[in-house]
Amino acid sequence: MTLLPLDFQFSQGSLQDYVDCRRRFQLRYLDQLAWPAVEAEPLLEHEQRMRSGAEFHRLIQRYLLGVPEKRLSTMMDSLGPEGSDLKRWWGNFLQFANVTPGGNTLVEGVLSAQFGSFRLLAKYDLISWDMDEPDRRVTIYDWKTSRQRPNRDWLAERLQTKVYPYLLVQAGEQVTGLGKLSPEQIEMVYWFAEHPQEPQRFSYSDEQYQQDHDFLAGLVDEVGSLKEGDFHLTADESRCKFCTYRSLCDRGTAAGSIDQVESDLEVETEQDFDLDFDQIAEIEF
Amino acid sequence: MELTPPQLDLIEASNDQKIFLEGPAGAGKTTAGVERMLYLMAQGARADTILVFLPQRNLAQPYYQALRNPGLVAGGTVDVLTLGGLAQKMVQLFWPLVSEQAGFAHPDQAPTFLNLETAQYFMARVVEPMIEGGAFDTVTIDRNRLYSQVVDNLNKAAVVGFPHTELEQRLRGAWIGEISQAHLYADAQQAALRFREFCLEQNLLDFSLRVEVFLKHIWSVPVCRDYLSKTYNHLIYDNVEEDTPVSHDLMAEWLPQLESATLIYDWDGGYRIFLGADPASGYRLKDHCQEEVTFNHSFVTTPEIQEFTAGLEISFNLAEDRLDSPFVSPSQPIVEDPASKPAVGDVRSVLEFETHRFHPQMLDWVVERASYLVEDEGIPPEEIVILAPYMSDSLRYSLSERFDRSGIATQSHRPSRALKDEPAAQCLLTLAAVAHPEWGITPVSYELAYALVQAVDGLDLVRGQLLAEIVYRSKDGRPTLTSFDRINPDMQERITYQLGERYENLRLWLDSYSLNPVDELDHFLSRLFGEVLSQPGYGFHHSRDAGQVTANLIDSARRFRWILAESLTDGSGKDYVQLVQQGVVAAQYIRRWNEPSEGAVFLAPAYTFLMGNRPVEVQFWLDVGGQGWAERLYQPLTQPYVLSRHWPPGTPWTDSEEFASSQEALYRLSTGLIRRCRYKIYLGLSDLGEGGYEMKGPFLRAIQRVLQNYPADAPGTQVETH
Ligand code: SF4
């Protein structure tokens, strides 16, 4: 019997964790263990980057939803020195935005589809398509704010590069209104805020789609078949430097340096606030 | 569960229908709402154009559950939001367009969102100088409650929809008692005004300001409105009766633009009145729907249980014209589901009770009966809930300890809990004080011993105290730890070398940190956790709870640091620690609304259980004779009824209104519970309550009156005392 809950949802993040380290997958997704050690050093710089990255995504979202560019630029101008990255990225983005195709967009949208006995889910920064274009191309954009521009081979192997276009073929019909999407219509673009002129583009194809399907299906089957003792620690101990569970696995004490990180570490999503019974201190239950 | 024909009719209604569905709890309304959502998706509606709108997040559980079904159609995802969630999302996105007109002093800078904890903190900063100047001098509640009542007043103004400048006028207009109380209202008004000014000055948005900015500004900006109307075409709005008037206003305006809507209304709801819920306001949305549907078959209760409800209605002697009251939602007779009928009997077949002299005896009886149900009647533990009007820590402990002894697991639902009460947090804060001697916070010896016991795996309290007495000193108000190597060998042996070595590593780590301390308390905590306390040989290594508590503490401290930096307000790690320890900041963390754990009896306050909206086989009601079931919380600075939309400003709130409203609230609470019970209710009775008081409250008397209609066995009278 599988250890996965029946309603488990796979994402590129959880699959990447699985590929990197089975144990991490178990601790994070099956046990949902909060383990707040330092992820990368220097901590303050890491934190600042994470915050700026999240703020940049919000900024682009505002822009794409119709908040005037001028207004957003005024806000950028008022930022202090701690906002210098954000300002630079914004300037770079505006140049890029001038050359990207317009048309229809899905901004910060989540798609999901059945995958084997589970669900596969992904959150996209931007999906863009043009109804009037003859070949009806659909482009997935992902904004990266890391300092380094990862090399193409490394990116090609990332689960994100496999899951995003694959899932768009599966679930894109409903959101784009373009009918059943074929892999040939799809392109995935990583745009680097620090390297605006050098996006990495990955065209999709039937062949790649089939390969991704086989790979992902194999992975999900494998995860589903594992037993309690099968979630081994990774053999590549360099991964443990950026993993908060290192104390639990007896894999060292201190975190690795942020400069060695290939790309963005995952950005935490902010919790939304709400007024409900939970938050009324006054009502002492 | 198979769907009934009326449910199917509603679910499969055409995609352009606006339907108002009403009925009692347990009639299958939410099931229909969930299935309607799935039907719309199956019919080709884009999932991301469906909005499920709810008054409170935990009510989303059945919707989320359905949305996680692997077989769901492929596509986008349904948004499940509350007014607070929607307001937050919209303010985040469209802040640049409204920040100036909403009156913020720095419209070009980003907003900072406050949660309850940080709102209370800033409220304290605003109110403290007022207190020093003599304000609130007659108030007897502690300061944290004072702050939270002022926050609550602002929230009420926002969700009821009146200017926050009218708080005093409304509260004072209804007050008929001593003049000193009227002064308190003036102080509370001042505090609210100053807090609001402070927020506008610093770009801070508490819940009330988020809602106001959304409704007054964002909602009227075309690009924002356009975004909402393009995003959502279909609405499922469940538990309309538990939502606030401004939510209802919003929906009344929005409904004409939507393609379809399913509004679900529970007749006997309105449990959140003290949070601004307004059942009568919600009912007017019926006029905005073309289809009106009533489900009045209960799938949950038996005829006997329903007879209990009817008996209580008579027993409470509720005024005949109560249904005209705006605080009461409409209600009609419920038709029981014939399939669920057991053998016909009287109310006593579904009620079991026993009176005891003392409270602990009552608790023994409760656990003994629950064990019998699990072991002999085969009722799954998760189908049993133990309910009290309020669950104090001691009551919770007494119950879970008794259940432990009986070998039955319990799940205790405490929605929020002060971090300072968690052993892991106490350990972290004590070690933070030691690592920052410049703070001048000196823990007492037993606090340090306790921290070491938590920190060092295998160290018991006796050896921990011994160790603390030897190694811990405070010089000129600066705490210091000395080396294990300097202890005499006998003592080293007693403590053991292994534990000594662990202690020594911790000490060296703290020592080396204090040579180069950081300003960010959360960074310190994260390092201490990762580099020492969660390492093998230390107390947090095997503790899931310690990990969670540390994560919450770090999150809270970080949020404070960010907010203080953004609002250009002074504050350091030391201030944060002091605030937590003094309880000025509640430092509460929010536990998720847990799904019932399989195999565990659920312990919860009655209202919390109600808002979980989950029927069970068996309920135990504790302290039925206590006043807590009927009394409103003492809130000298606010008043939920007077601040509602239905109380005309200037009209006095008299004792008779207070009596009628508490009777009504008690009736609602009891019927709400009864309608979520399938099999049996056990009443826990004791002559003397937890605090040793006589237990002859109105709830007990009302139940007695119901039972007196039967020949014998009324609780508290004929039943033998053990
Ligand atoms: S510390 Fe290393 S072995 Fe342990 S979960 Fe993380 S990556 Fe895997």
Side-chain angles (χ1 to χ4, degrees):
Chain A
M1 218 189 57
T2 177
L3 291 175
L4 294 174
L6 293 176
D7 61 356
F8 189 82
Q9 313 205 46
F10 282 98
S11 65
Q12 62 97 6
S14 62
L15 288 167
Q16 187 68 55
D17 274 339
Y18 179 76
V19 168
D20 288 349
C21 176
R22 288 181 177 189
R23 179 80 175 132
R24 189 195 296 169
F25 175 89
Q26 182 191 30
L27 293 168
R28 187 174 284 176
Y29 301 98
L30 297 183
D31 300 349
Q32 299 185 5
L33 187 65
W35 211 247
V38 176
E39 194 173 21
E41 291 282 7
L43 188 43
L44 203 56
E45 189 186 332
H46 175 51
E47 176 188 296
Q48 187 52 45
R49 278 208 211 165
M50 300 280 272
R51 291 185 79 187
S52 300
E55 191 52 43
F56 181 66
H57 279 73
R58 191 171 303 127
L59 187 66
I60 308 290
Q61 189 183 6
R62 286 173 178 159
Y63 171 79
L64 293 169
L65 293 181
V67 178
E69 177 190 324
K70 206 167 153 223
R71 177 76 189 105
L72 294 171
S73 293
T74 311
M75 291 188 70
M76 288 298 101
D77 290 343
S78 76
L79 289 175
E82 76 292 343
S84 59
D85 283 346
L86 198 54
K87 262 195 243 184
R88 189 173 60 255
W89 298 342
W90 173 241
N92 291 343
F93 174 79
L94 288 178
Q95 285 177 21
F96 174 73
N98 284 336
V99 295
T100 51
N104 304 67
T105 55
L106 179 71
V107 185
E108 298 285 331
V110 178
L111 297 189
S112 76
Q114 180 161 15
F115 194 73
S117 341
F118 300 99
R119 251 184 125 67
L120 184 61
L121 182 131
K123 184 168 187 190
Y124 296 78
D125 289 344
L126 171 66
I127 300 173
S128 149
W129 67 99
D130 196 335
M131 290 296 220
D132 302 328
E133 232 192 49
D135 51 357
R136 299 191 156 196
R137 295 198 65 72
V138 185
T139 311
I140 301 164
Y141 290 97
D142 196 75
W143 323 123
K144 295 281 184 214
T145 54
S146 54
R147 265 203 205 139
Q148 286 93 338
R149 176 177 175 270
N151 75 51
R152 190 172 175 82
D153 291 347
W154 185 85
L155 267 181
E157 287 308 306
R158 301 301 287 171
L159 262 298
Q160 186 176 13
T161 312
K162 298 179 192 303
V163 167
Y164 278 38
Y166 176 82
L167 185 58
L168 184 57
V169 174
Q170 295 286 311
E173 176 176 1
Q174 204 202 37
V175 291
T176 60
L178 290 173
K180 178 90 186 119
L181 295 178
S182 77
E184 262 74 19
Q185 281 173 273
I186 293 171
E187 185 182 38
M188 168 113 193
V189 178
Y190 289 103
W191 181 79
F192 302 95
E194 294 284 11
H195 308 273
Q197 307 306 330
E198 304 167 81
Q200 288 280 16
R201 295 177 177 273
F202 290 88
S203 313
Y204 211 43
S205 64
D206 277 336
E207 196 191 339
Q208 189 62 46
Y209 173 77
Q210 199 49 53
Q211 272 180 26
D212 287 345
H213 172 81
D214 295 346
F215 177 74
L216 295 171
L219 214 53
V220 167
D221 279 354
E222 186 180 301
V223 183
S225 69
L226 295 188
K227 306 275 172 301
E228 191 66 42
D230 296 338
F231 291 89
H232 304 303
L233 279 59
T234 177
D236 178 359
E237 295 201 19
S238 68
R239 297 214 161 103
C240 308
K241 284 187 184 163
F242 303 101
C243 176
T244 58
Y245 296 116
R246 69 186 82 82
S247 58
L248 211 53
C249 303
D250 208 1
R251 288 278 175 95
T253 50
S257 161
I258 195 169
D259 295 327
Q260 296 162 10
V261 179
E262 191 80 30
S263 183
D264 299 344
L265 290 167
E266 226 170 85
V267 177
E268 275 177 64
T269 49
E270 283 218 15
Q271 267 193 339
D272 62 348
F273 302 114
D274 210 344
L275 176 77
D276 58 25
F277 276 80
D278 285 351
Q279 296 224 352
I280 300 300
E282 183 58 14
I283 310 298
E284 256 303 327
F285 287 121
Chain B
M1 192 174 74
E2 219 172 282
L3 297 163
T4 62
Q7 280 178 317
L8 281 170
D9 285 347
L10 181 135
I11 294 159
E12 294 174 2
S14 65
N15 281 11
D16 57 0
Q17 287 287 302
K18 289 172 189 158
I19 306 165
F20 191 87
L21 167 62
E22 58 185 309
K29 303 189 299 301
T30 294
T31 304
V34 170
E35 292 296 330
R36 171 74 174 158
M37 171 185 78
L38 298 177
Y39 179 81
L40 288 171
M41 290 164 73
Q43 292 301 300
R46 268 177 64 168
D48 54 349
T49 65
I50 300 173
L51 171 63
V52 174
F53 196 72
L54 301 161
Q56 186 166 303
R57 265 181 302 181
N58 71 308
L59 294 167
Q61 199 49 41
Y63 292 91
Y64 280 135
Q65 213 173 328
L67 290 168
R68 292 177 73 92
N69 185 331
L72 205 68
V73 286
T77 50
V78 172
D79 269 345
V80 183
L81 291 170
T82 59
L83 176 68
L86 180 64
Q88 163 107 1
K89 175 178 165 164
M90 295 300 286
V91 175
Q92 279 275 19
L93 287 179
F94 296 107
W95 167 258
L97 298 181
V98 298
S99 50
E100 190 163 3
Q101 70 188 80
F104 288 91
H106 308 284
D108 293 341
Q109 287 171 19
T112 300
F113 295 97
L114 303 180
N115 59 9
L116 183 71
E117 178 180 297
T118 45
Q120 288 220 153
Y121 166 74
F122 284 112
M123 183 60 82
R125 288 182 79 119
V126 167
V127 171
E128 263 165 23
M130 291 178 62
I131 294 177
E132 277 158 29
F136 299 106
D137 54 348
T138 54
V139 83
T140 51
I141 52 173
D142 80 38
R143 285 199 183 182
N144 298 328
R145 293 196 55 209
L146 188 157
Y147 308 143
S148 75
Q149 285 182 32
V150 181
V151 171
D152 189 43
N153 274 345
L154 281 162
N155 291 343
K156 288 274 161 48
V159 299
V160 174
F162 63 86
H164 69 285
T165 49
E166 288 180 10
L167 283 161
E168 179 191 358
Q169 182 199 337
R170 286 172 182 250
L171 290 165
R172 203 175 174 144
W175 179 250
I176 51 169
E178 286 172 23
I179 190 73
S180 58
Q181 177 66 37
H183 292 316
L184 282 185
Y185 291 143
D187 292 341
Q189 176 69 72
Q190 266 309 309
L193 289 171
R194 288 189 196 188
F195 180 76
R196 177 58 60 86
E197 262 170 43
F198 182 79
C199 287
L200 290 171
E201 180 55 42
Q202 304 285 345
N203 278 18
L204 303 173
L205 286 101
D206 67 325
F207 173 85
S208 69
L209 201 44
R210 281 202 289 281
V211 168
E212 288 191 19
V213 170
F214 170 53
L215 294 172
K216 285 193 192 145
H217 301 286
I218 291 179
W219 181 238
S220 57
V221 173
V223 65
C224 313
R225 193 109 175 210
D226 202 40
Y227 165 77
L228 281 176
S229 54
K230 275 196 187 136
T231 306
Y232 302 116
N233 297 332
H234 305 278
L235 170 73
I236 313 265
Y237 186 8
D238 204 344
N239 290 102
V240 171
E241 77 293 342
E242 296 296 346
D243 216 340
T244 58
V246 294
S247 289
H248 301 140
D249 295 346
L250 174 75
M251 289 306 165
E253 263 193 71
W254 200 348
L255 274 168
Q257 293 156 41
L258 291 163
E259 223 173 290
S260 88
T262 307
L263 276 57
I264 302 175
Y265 188 98
D266 193 327
W267 283 339
D268 300 294
Y271 307 119
R272 289 169 28 110
I273 278 184
F274 59 91
L275 291 174
D278 191 331
S281 155
Y283 205 67
R284 70 197 152 93
L285 291 177
K286 188 174 178 175
D287 300 338
H288 297 260
C289 300
Q290 311 121 351
E291 280 286 316
E292 293 166 13
V293 179
T294 302
F295 288 178
N296 62 357
H297 283 270
S298 171
F299 293 113
V300 175
T301 57
T302 61
E304 291 77 8
I305 284 184
Q306 283 164 26
E307 204 174 318
F308 187 25
T309 318
L312 277 176
E313 187 170 356
I314 298 164
S315 168
F316 275 119
N317 195 17
L318 300 168
E320 270 178 22
D321 60 356
R322 61 184 274 274
L323 291 179
D324 300 335
S325 162
F327 299 121
V328 176
S329 50
S331 187
Q332 290 170 31
I334 299 166
V335 181
E336 64 273 14
D337 180 23
S340 70
K341 266 190 190 179
V344 174
D346 62 33
V347 168
R348 289 170 303 174
S349 67
V350 293
L351 273 187
E352 196 170 318
F353 43 82
E354 195 165 280
T355 311
H356 306 269
R357 174 98 186 113
F358 297 109
H359 197 256
Q361 294 170 324
M362 186 263 288
L363 298 183
D364 289 340
W365 175 79
V366 165
V367 175
E368 183 260 307
R369 295 314 296 155
S371 307
Y372 168 81
L373 288 169
V374 172
E375 280 152 22
D376 294 311
E377 291 204 18
I379 293 186
E382 66 272 18
E383 283 294 330
I384 299 174
V385 292
I386 316 284
L387 305 170
Y390 303 103
M391 270 272 168
S392 64
D393 274 344
S394 62
L395 178 57
R396 202 178 297 270
Y397 175 79
S398 306
L399 280 167
S400 44
E401 196 246 350
R402 282 171 168 82
F403 273 111
D404 265 2
R405 272 191 269 130
S406 305
I408 294 176
T410 52
Q411 184 194 12
S412 166
H413 184 98
R414 172 150 199 164
S416 57
R417 181 173 162 88
L419 275 172
K420 72 182 168 83
D421 298 333
E422 296 287 352
Q426 286 167 353
C427 166
L428 289 161
L429 295 175
T430 302
L431 295 179
V434 175
H436 298 90
E438 70 282 3
W439 289 356
I441 299 178
T442 47
V444 290
S445 178
Y446 84 83
E447 285 173 328
L448 189 90
Y450 196 61
L452 290 176
V453 168
Q454 295 297 320
V456 176
D457 192 22
L459 186 69
D460 57 36
L461 193 57
V462 175
R463 282 182 291 185
Q465 275 172 331
L466 215 56
L467 185 61
E469 272 165 31
I470 303 167
V471 297
Y472 179 55
R473 293 284 172 273
S474 153
K475 248 191 246 159
D476 307 325
R478 293 168 70 90
T480 51
L481 291 175
T482 55
S483 169
F484 186 74
D485 300 339
R486 288 165 55 183
I487 305 178
N488 79 48
D490 284 353
M491 200 53 85
Q492 282 185 337
E493 206 164 313
R494 223 175 126 186
I495 291 165
T496 77
Y497 291 102
Q498 190 193 37
L499 297 180
E501 190 187 340
R502 289 176 187 168
Y503 157 76
E504 190 60 12
N505 283 340
L506 169 64
R507 185 190 72 82
L508 288 171
W509 189 93
L510 293 169
D511 245 17
S512 105
Y513 166 84
S514 62
L515 296 176
N516 212 354
V518 295
D519 288 337
E520 297 80 18
L521 174 68
D522 48 304
H523 291 185
F524 162 79
L525 295 171
S526 195
R527 288 206 173 93
L528 175 62
F529 174 83
E531 294 173 23
V532 189
L533 300 182
S534 67
Q535 290 286 338
Y538 290 88
F540 291 17
H541 185 67
H542 294 295
S543 171
R544 179 190 181 89
D545 265 8
Q548 187 64 59
V549 167
T550 310
N552 287 322
L553 187 65
I554 288 173
D555 189 52
S556 160
R558 182 175 44 218
R559 209 175 273 277
F560 258 86
R561 176 166 59 82
W562 288 354
I563 286 175
L564 292 184
E566 281 158 13
S567 66
L568 303 175
T569 324
D570 297 334
S572 63
K574 176 188 172 183
D575 296 335
Y576 177 78
V577 171
Q578 284 178 328
L579 289 167
V580 173
Q581 283 174 339
Q582 292 160 8
V584 173
V585 168
Q588 283 171 327
Y589 69 91
I590 309 304
R591 289 189 167 172
R592 268 185 271 159
W593 286 82
N594 297 321
E595 273 283 88
S597 313
E598 246 174 63
V601 169
F602 190 55
L603 318 177
Y607 278 109
T608 306
F609 170 72
L610 269 185
M611 290 309 298
N613 203 11
R614 173 173 75 99
V616 290
E617 290 289 313
V618 177
Q619 296 178 6
F620 283 82
W621 298 354
L622 304 189
D623 300 327
V624 172
Q627 296 290 340
W629 286 92
E631 268 175 9
R632 202 153 55 78
L633 197 67
Y634 173 62
Q635 292 183 303
L637 304 181
T638 186
Q639 217 281 22
Y641 294 98
V642 165
L643 294 182
S644 84
R645 221 175 245 191
H646 306 290
W647 200 251
T651 312
W653 178 264
T654 64
D655 284 351
S656 74
E657 266 101 24
E658 183 62 41
F659 178 75
S661 68
S662 77
Q663 290 284 99
E664 182 64 40
L666 185 51
Y667 171 69
R668 260 166 207 271
L669 171 62
S670 47
T671 50
L673 294 178
I674 293 167
R675 287 190 181 144
R676 286 167 180 82
C677 185
R678 294 194 201 95
Y679 171 52
K680 207 163 205 174
I681 295 167
Y682 289 79
L683 308 177
L685 303 161
S686 63
D687 293 338
L688 300 175
E690 205 181 354
Y693 302 107
E694 282 259 19
M695 302 281 272
K696 291 262 187 278
F699 195 22
L700 175 61
R701 292 200 302 272
I703 296 171
Q704 281 173 333
R705 285 193 294 272
V706 174
L707 291 167
Q708 272 156 9
N709 291 328
Y710 297 90
D713 299 6
T717 50
Q718 293 91 338
V719 179
E720 242 180 80
T721 300
H722 292 233

